Amino acid sequence: MVIGVKPQTGELSCSATLSPEDLSVRGKANYEIGRFDEAINCWQKSVAAYRQHKNEAEAINNQINQAQAAFAMGLYPRACNILLPIYREKDCFLIIQDQDKRKHFSEKIENPEGLRKLLNSPTKIAGLRLLANVFRSLGELDWSYQILVLLASNNNSFPEQAGAILLDLGNIFRT
């Protein structure tokens, strides 16, 4: 593919025979030209391939990319359900609607040990920021605020995320 030339549709398709890296790159290329469904498809295959190669960090990165594409399409529940397994949860609406699940998830993110596990990489922080934005888009402003405040108050390890976290907090107040 030549830089500056619009890729042909076939050039960005994602077959399972491609390497995880190629699937990831094609997912990004599809995302950048607005082909969000194809981007999600590429990233799903990339996640599976990375997990098969025991590369959980890259699998999580591509899972967050999938959620970002679903979010860009306005598919907020889908984005939420893509993100939650990263944080050992399963169903977005159960967390929102079921008081016991809500309490369990809240305790998990407020527990210092649990929080340390959630905030151990810039990728997971970006995923939690996206989850907060998904909750905001679903009208769950309390959840969104709670996650962002926790991120803002525990962001010593990755200060490059601070501005984005504060911007997201400001967006909650604008809502």
Side-chain angles (χ1 to χ4, degrees), residues 27 58 68 73 159 167:
E58 283 303 317
Q68 185 66 49
M73 293 176 12
L167 179 64

Side-chain angles (χ1 to χ4, degrees), residues 44-104:
Q44 283 173 333
K45 289 176 181 173
S46 181
V47 167
Y50 277 122
R51 288 207 168 113
Q52 188 176 7
H53 290 95
K54 308 283 191 250
N55 188 340
E56 190 62 20
E58 283 303 317
I60 288 171
N61 190 41
N62 281 272
Q63 202 168 340
I64 291 168
N65 289 341
Q66 283 179 62
Q68 185 66 49
F71 184 81
M73 293 176 12
L75 302 174
Y76 308 125
R78 183 174 179 188
C80 186
N81 285 328
I82 291 169
L83 287 169
L84 283 177
I86 296 169
Y87 309 104
R88 309 284 189 249
E89 294 294 335
K90 290 182 177 56
D91 190 314
C92 188
F93 282 113
L94 281 180
I95 287 178
I96 291 170
Q97 296 171 350
D98 184 297
Q99 290 301 321
D100 290 335
K101 294 269 186 202
R102 189 177 189 118
K103 183 178 179 193
H104 172 74

